């Protein structure tokens, strides 16, 4: 199995690191193409029924995660909409975007924290090291998303990415 995710909090930032056993170009595509994201984005038991990507600086990624797992109780049937606005793209090295909670029309939910996400992709001897730095306006904003279960969700999401990469290699 691939290395497990390493996470740490620094003031108002969450840093995640994980090595994936796949070439950097493929891992980059998995984070930037709807046909890949639909297979792995979201925690276990959740699907991605909506995934629209305009992958360019200034472009928008609008998506919906939906709980399909009846064993998740009150979460079953729940939808969680998100919207990312790309700020910087350097293929296949880096993706920077601002991530928002949104509604189905793409309107930003101002009550929930926005995240400045910086993803870097580094080729290693065994595959690709992905470092995800999520910066928040305040430590309280970071706490808000952590209290929502974000760390467990991203761990499950990246586990699903491992499975997706293995299935297409």
């Amino acid at each position: 199995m691939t290395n497990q995710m390493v996470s740490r909090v620094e003031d108002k930032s969450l840093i995640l690191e994980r090595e994936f056993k796949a070439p950097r170009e493929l891992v980059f595509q998995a984070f930037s193409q709807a046909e890949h994201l639909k297979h792995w984005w979201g925690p276990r038991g959740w699907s991605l029924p909506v995934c629209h990507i305009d992958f360019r600086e200034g472009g928008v990624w609008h998506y919906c995660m939906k709980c399909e797992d009846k064993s998740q109780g009150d979460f079953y049937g729940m939808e969680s909409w998100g919207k990312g606005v790309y700020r910087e793209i350097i293929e296949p090295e880096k993706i920077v975007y601002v991530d928002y909670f949104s509604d189905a029309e793409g309107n930003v939910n101002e009550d929930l924290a926005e995240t400045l996400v910086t993803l870097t992709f580094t080729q290693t001897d065994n595959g690709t090291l992905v470092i995800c730095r999520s910066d928040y306006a305040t430590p309280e904003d970071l706490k808000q998303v952590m209290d929502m279960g974000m760390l467990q969700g991203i761990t499950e999401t990246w586990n699903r990415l491992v499975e997706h990469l293995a299935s297409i290699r």
Side-chain angles (χ1 to χ4, degrees):
M1 173 125 191
T2 320
N3 295 344
Q4 295 301 305
M5 185 172 69
V6 175
S7 65
R8 68 182 183 278
V9 172
E10 294 177 358
D11 188 32
K12 56 187 181 178
S13 301
L14 174 65
I15 296 99
L16 309 171
E17 298 182 16
R18 186 160 183 181
E19 187 173 30
F20 296 92
K21 289 185 179 178
R24 180 168 73 162
E25 290 76 13
L26 181 58
V27 177
F28 188 91
Q29 289 170 4
F31 277 86
S32 61
Q33 295 177 0
E35 55 267 26
H36 286 291
L37 286 159
K38 288 178 182 180
H39 293 281
W40 67 272
W41 187 262
R44 209 161 290 287
W46 291 66
S47 66
L48 198 68
V50 177
C51 183
H52 303 292
I53 295 179
D54 179 10
F55 192 66
R56 61 179 175 82
E57 292 178 7
V60 171
W61 171 30
H62 189 223
Y63 61 92
C64 173
M65 297 184 301
K66 183 174 183 175
C67 183
E68 306 283 355
D69 182 358
K70 291 181 180 178
S71 73
Q72 293 192 21
D74 291 344
F75 290 110
Y76 177 69
M78 179 184 283
E79 293 183 349
S80 178
W81 287 86
K83 177 180 179 179
V85 179
Y86 296 106
R87 286 197 175 168
E88 181 181 7
I89 297 169
I90 304 171
E91 286 194 53
E93 300 170 17
K94 185 178 185 180
I95 302 170
V96 180
Y97 65 97
V98 181
D99 192 38
Y100 304 93
F101 291 90
S102 76
D103 62 16
E105 287 75 43
N107 300 305
V108 172
N109 183 337
E110 302 288 344
D111 295 329
L112 296 171
E114 68 181 57
T115 311
L116 175 62
V117 178
T118 302
L119 291 160
T120 57
F121 305 83
T122 305
Q123 189 73 49
T124 66
D125 291 340
N126 297 317
T128 304
L129 175 64
V130 175
I131 299 174
C132 176
R133 180 179 180 97
S134 299
D135 296 311
Y136 295 87
T138 67
E140 293 74 28
D141 286 349
L142 172 56
K143 182 179 181 328
Q144 179 186 44
V145 297
M146 294 293 274
D147 289 348
M148 294 169 66
M150 196 263 295
L151 191 56
Q152 177 184 343
I154 197 68
T155 300
E156 292 177 13
T157 298
W158 282 18
N159 287 342
R160 291 180 66 198
L161 174 56
V162 169
E163 295 162 9
H164 174 64
L165 291 169
S167 75
I168 60 174
R169 295 213 55 224

